Each structure stands twice: as structure tokens, then as C-alpha cells.
Amino acid sequence: MTTLSLQEALQLPNFSTMDPAGLAATLDIQLANNQQAIDLLLNSQTSLNYNQLVPKLEQLDDEIGKLWGPLSHLHGVRNKEEVRAAFDECLPKLTAYATQMGQNKALYLAFLWILESDAFSQLNQAQQQFLRLQVQDFKLAGVALDPEQQAEYGQLKQQMAQLSTQFSNQLMDATEAWSKHIENSECLLGLPESALQQAQEAAKAKALNGYLLKLDFSCYHSVMTFAQSRELRQEMYQAFNTRASDQGPDGGKFDNSQVMEKLVELRHKMANLVGFEHYADYSVATKMADSGQAVEAFLIDLAKGCKPQAETDMEQLQLFAGQDGGPTPLAAWDVAYYSEKLRHSRYDLSQEELKPYFALPQVRKGLFNVVNRIYGIEVTPCKGVSTWHKDVGFFQVAYEGQAIGYFYFDLYAREHKRGGAWMDECRNRQFKTDGELQLPVAYLVCNFAPPVGDKPALLTHGEVTTLFHEFGHGLHHMMTNIDVAGVAGINGVAWDAVELPSQLLENWCWQEESLRLFATHYQTGAALPEELLQKMLAAKNFQAGMFVMRQLEFALFDLRLHMNYNPDAPQSVQAVLDEVREQVAVVKAPQWNRFQHGFAHIFAGGYASGYYSYLWAEVLAADVFSRFESEGIFNPATGADLWRKITGQGGSFDAMTLFTAFMGRKPSVEALMRHKGLTHES
Ligand SMILES: [Zn+2]
């Protein structure tokens, strides 16, 4: 008898022999095959029960995942010619397939029938929740509408897509239209070497001498933060914050004003069509928050708590700037510049100083140790699994000696690899057709600078936090106890709650007790000096009040714009923003500021009435962590409870139910404010 290798037993993709073109061809056949199989299944009898429908669909999805998954993964981590060609060929086909499935009325009716049948109550929670989410998705996509309304819905969708594209095109054109040529480097005093080099390259690309400033974020950010010339900062601030509007150097040329007004109007119509009072409730329907109203209450609550500290932050900045010979009052284009000076004078902490204490091998060991102490899980490396690069590792996650999941660990930046850090699914936890349980497998990807010679890779503390963050997503996927693929792991989790496990794990990078487990000098083995540690912890909350208020300004504007829309007497986009600013802005924007004309998150991205999610998830994570703070950050009972009630449950319950089960109450902003040093002793 021969034993199967891990590679074979888990039926993992064989990256070393993978043929992208072959995969693309097989995917083509598989998509057609799936469509046929689903039609056949739906036509086979009038009313299918859960076991006749869902496992078959899961299996068909898994077949596609096994082909598309590795290809789309390689597109991110080994993006060479043949991979890109195959990816580009497959993507439109896959999108078309997904659209067709999302609009499949017969499939919707099949789900609806089970949902409304007597047998529904016999199903387990995960199965029930999966069906509810499916039916809801179909309804929100307009599938339940009568033909006439459905046509209108389709038209609205199309118009909205065009407007969003127009918005981002005009924003891009406006961004590229402006530049400033500077021959004398004296005007650029204060800018770091890297920014100067970038500006020099930009000039060279246009066959110019000297420097060329442009409105890409990195150039804008450098000038606002470091340029000593106030005149230059003001000029660039104005150019950047009037892009694609009626104001500024290109005023009226790429104006997004009408596009925004129209988008809000159409979103309102579409929300009405599928049964919601306004777009905010439509957006929130798939999220953890109960309603637009509830989100507004949350944001106001947070604003009330944070405003005093934000005002203090601003006063201190003004005071500091005054002592430095700066202007009174500070204008919007002075804030980042003097903030950077203040930060430097207060903490004088360089990431370079910290890096020797965060050598990757140590940090990784520390991370595994931390999750072992929280959850009792064991992470061990495995051999004999095919990967896409020699630096990629493969690991097993086990509990009480039993494997529960696996992951690929790809940590270094290299050529042909997309930047950033992410977690992706390789395999879902679900039952295979032979009745055997398929364990979850994750891809965990970061982009740290690789080791040079004998020296290990040294991370900044920010990178350590990134590693923990992504691992938190990975654990959510791998530690799931749910066998229904559509609601296992991160699937079916509302996206204002999906960052909870990841942001939660970041907390262990900010605790003395856990840092002491791994922050040791890679050469001497010495512990991170107390003074450095305290500086690092203190710098964490620098201007936290101002930062949160700025996020609140964006979130409230986004929410009210959609929630308070009145088709009979629409308030202008500008008026909505002005009101919000009146209420929450600590840094006063000049009256010609047109930030909203470049707010692509909500006008060209997926964040409309959802921008609040950033703060919402932060609040959840801080709140959940507060239980660890009071019960011990390595308390195994608290860890076990968290696994049972949140980490293991995936999307099988709505996120608020899970949160409440673990905390015994609804979320509170108190912990976040305390962590950010925003709580005022009264
Ligand atoms: Zn994340």
C-alpha cells in the first residue's frame, strides 16, 4: 500500500507543472458544463430539496474554484506573460458566468421554494442562513421583480455604471492635467530625497530639466508633509482639492458636479425599486449595521466622544506651530507640515531603530506562539507541497493533534508579484461528493523586503502589524467550524464585520506581554529596550482624535448624502457636505475645497453608504479585545469562547448575533476611544 503525499491527499494545485493556457481551456469547458448541469438540475423536477440542490451547486463551484483559483492567485504572485494572457482570457467569461448566475430566476425560485417550505425548519442554522443570504442577494439584484421593473432596474444599473466610469475618468484626467515644473531645487526644500528623485524622474520623462510635481497621491503627500514653502503647499493643496470640479486651476474642465448629483438620484430610485426607503438602507441591508439610522447614531456617538480630543490635538498643533514661527491660524495646507514637525519633536522615533528587534523568523515564531496561546492551535511547517516560488512555505494548523486547515505563506516582495498584503482562499471547508470533509486552505501573501546575504528580513513595526492582520483573516478562514461553503470562514460575513478577526489580532502587536515574546534583537538576543517600547506605544495615538474626526466627516457625508435624499427637493451635494463639516470638522476647509469631486470610494468604488465600515470594524475589534484586556490577553478560556462564538462561525449567523453572543451586549465605542487615548476622565 502506498501512502498519499500531502499534495495528493489535499488535491492541492500543482504549481510547478501548471500550464496557464491549459487551465484557461479547461475552465472554458467547465463553465459550459456548469451551466448545463445547473439547467438540467433545475429542470429535473419542480421542487428540489436542500440536499438535491445545494451540495451539487457547491461541488460545481468548487470545480471552478480549483481552476480559476490557482490562475487568479498566480496572476497576483507570478504575473508573467502566459499567466496574464490566460487570466485576461478567462476573466470576462467568468464575470459573464457570475452575472448569469446572479440573474438566474429559476435558481432564485428554487432557493425561495426551500426557504418557504416546511422542510426549512429541519435544516441547520448554517444551511438556513445560506438560503436566506442567497434569496436576499437575488432580491437586491432585482431578480424578484416583474419583467417591466426588471428592465428599469437593468437600465438604472447600466446608467449608474456609466456615471461611475465617467466620474473616475474625469478624476483621472484632472489629476493628470496638472503639473508644476520647478527648475530650482530651493523651492523644494524639506522634501525627502526619495520624493525629489521621483520629481526628477517625472521631469525627465517629459524631457524637462529639474523637477516636475504632479497630483499623484505620493507626490502630493510629500509636498504637504515636508515642503517648507508655504506658497507651494497652498498651490498644490488647491490643485489637488479642486480636481474634477468647478473650482481651481482647471475649474469647469473635468467637472464631476452633475455626475454626482445624478448618481445619488439614480441610486435612490434603484433602492426604492427593490423595496427600500433610501439607498443607505439598501446598502446596509447586507451589512452588520441594522439600518442607515443606526449607522448615523453610531457615527454621531463617536463624534461626540472624539471631538474634544481632536480640538485639543488641533490647539496643541497651533501652539507648536506658533512657537516655530508658523502662521496663526493654521490653514488646511499647514496641518500636515506642522504635524510632521510636532510628531518628530515629540517622539523622535525611527522605524530603523526598531527593525533589528523584528527579524522575520522571530516574528513568525512569535505569531504562531501568540495564536497558540490564544486558541491552543499548533502551526507547523509541512514538506513536499508544490509552490510557485522557493521562498513560499506551506503550513498546517492543528488542534489537539488534528489538522483543521492549511496555508501557503508567501512573505517576500519580488518581481512579477503584486504589491500589498492579502489573504485569499485556496480551498473552502465543505463536504466532497464522496462524503469526505475538505479542509480549508488559505493563501497568505505579504511583500516584505527579502533577506540580504546572511541577514534575516527585518520588519518595521507597521509590517509586523500587517502580518498579524492578514493572519487574522487566515484564521477566520481556517478555523471555521461550518461545513456549508457559502457561509464558512469569511464567506457570507457582512463586509463591515469581516475585518473584525484581522483587526483584532493586530492588538497583540501593541501589548507589552506579547511583544516580549518575540521582540528581541536578531544579533544580540537583547529584549526591546523599555524606552523604545514606551516611545513606540506613545506614538501610536499621535493626533488620533483628528484622524478619527476626519474619517467621521467622510463617513457622515457619505451616509447622509444617500439617506436624506429627497427626490422632490434634492439638497445639493455641496450643501450636505457643508452641514457635516459644520458639525464635525476640526480642520476648517476653505470654501472652494471640492474634496467630494475626488471621493472615488463612494462615487466610483463600492463604498456608497458603506464608508463607515472602516470605523465600524475598528470599534468591533477594539470592543472584542477589551474582553481579553480584562480576562488576560492569553486567557485560553476567552480564546475558546471567541473561537466558539465568532471565529469558528463564519457567516452562519448575522454578525450582530455573533458579536452579542460573545460580548453579552451590543457594540460600544468605549474601548476604541480608550485604545486611541480619546477617553476623557471627568
Ligand atoms: Zn483586512
Side-chain angles (χ1 to χ4, degrees), residues 469-470 473 498-499 502-503:
H469 179 101
E470 297 309 331
H473 282 307
V498 81
E499 294 294 328
S502 51
Q503 296 200 1

Short mmCIF file of all heavy atoms in Angstrom, two decimals, residues 469-470 473 498-499 502-503, ligand 1:
data_model
loop_
_atom_site.label_atom_id
_atom_site.label_comp_id
_atom_site.label_asym_id
_atom_site.label_seq_id
_atom_site.Cartn_x
_atom_site.Cartn_y
_atom_site.Cartn_z
N HIS A 469 -2.41 41.10 10.95
CA HIS A 469 -3.72 41.40 10.34
C HIS A 469 -4.12 40.31 9.34
O HIS A 469 -5.20 39.72 9.44
CB HIS A 469 -3.64 42.76 9.64
CG HIS A 469 -4.90 43.18 8.96
ND1 HIS A 469 -5.77 44.09 9.50
CD2 HIS A 469 -5.47 42.79 7.78
CE1 HIS A 469 -6.81 44.25 8.70
NE2 HIS A 469 -6.64 43.48 7.65
N GLU A 470 -3.23 40.03 8.40
CA GLU A 470 -3.56 39.03 7.38
C GLU A 470 -3.73 37.65 8.01
O GLU A 470 -4.57 36.87 7.59
CB GLU A 470 -2.49 38.99 6.27
CG GLU A 470 -2.37 40.27 5.48
CD GLU A 470 -3.69 40.81 4.94
OE1 GLU A 470 -4.61 40.01 4.67
OE2 GLU A 470 -3.80 42.05 4.80
N HIS A 473 -7.20 37.22 9.20
CA HIS A 473 -8.12 36.81 8.12
C HIS A 473 -7.95 35.31 7.86
O HIS A 473 -8.93 34.58 7.68
CB HIS A 473 -7.80 37.56 6.83
CG HIS A 473 -8.30 38.97 6.78
ND1 HIS A 473 -9.61 39.31 7.03
CD2 HIS A 473 -7.67 40.14 6.49
CE1 HIS A 473 -9.76 40.63 6.89
NE2 HIS A 473 -8.60 41.15 6.58
N VAL A 498 -16.18 41.88 8.44
CA VAL A 498 -15.19 40.90 8.00
C VAL A 498 -13.77 41.28 8.46
O VAL A 498 -12.89 40.43 8.55
CB VAL A 498 -15.27 40.69 6.47
CG1 VAL A 498 -14.53 41.77 5.71
CG2 VAL A 498 -14.76 39.31 6.09
N GLU A 499 -13.56 42.56 8.81
CA GLU A 499 -12.25 42.97 9.30
C GLU A 499 -12.10 42.76 10.81
O GLU A 499 -11.08 43.10 11.38
CB GLU A 499 -11.97 44.43 8.95
CG GLU A 499 -11.84 44.72 7.46
CD GLU A 499 -10.63 44.07 6.81
OE1 GLU A 499 -9.61 43.92 7.49
OE2 GLU A 499 -10.74 43.68 5.63
N SER A 502 -9.26 40.21 11.76
CA SER A 502 -7.94 40.69 11.35
C SER A 502 -7.48 41.86 12.21
O SER A 502 -6.36 41.88 12.71
CB SER A 502 -7.95 41.08 9.88
OG SER A 502 -9.02 41.96 9.60
N GLN A 503 -8.39 42.84 12.39
CA GLN A 503 -8.01 43.98 13.22
C GLN A 503 -7.83 43.56 14.68
O GLN A 503 -7.01 44.12 15.40
CB GLN A 503 -9.06 45.08 13.13
CG GLN A 503 -9.15 45.61 11.71
CD GLN A 503 -9.79 46.99 11.65
OE1 GLN A 503 -10.16 47.56 12.66
NE2 GLN A 503 -9.92 47.52 10.45
ZN ZN B 1 -8.12 43.17 6.18
#
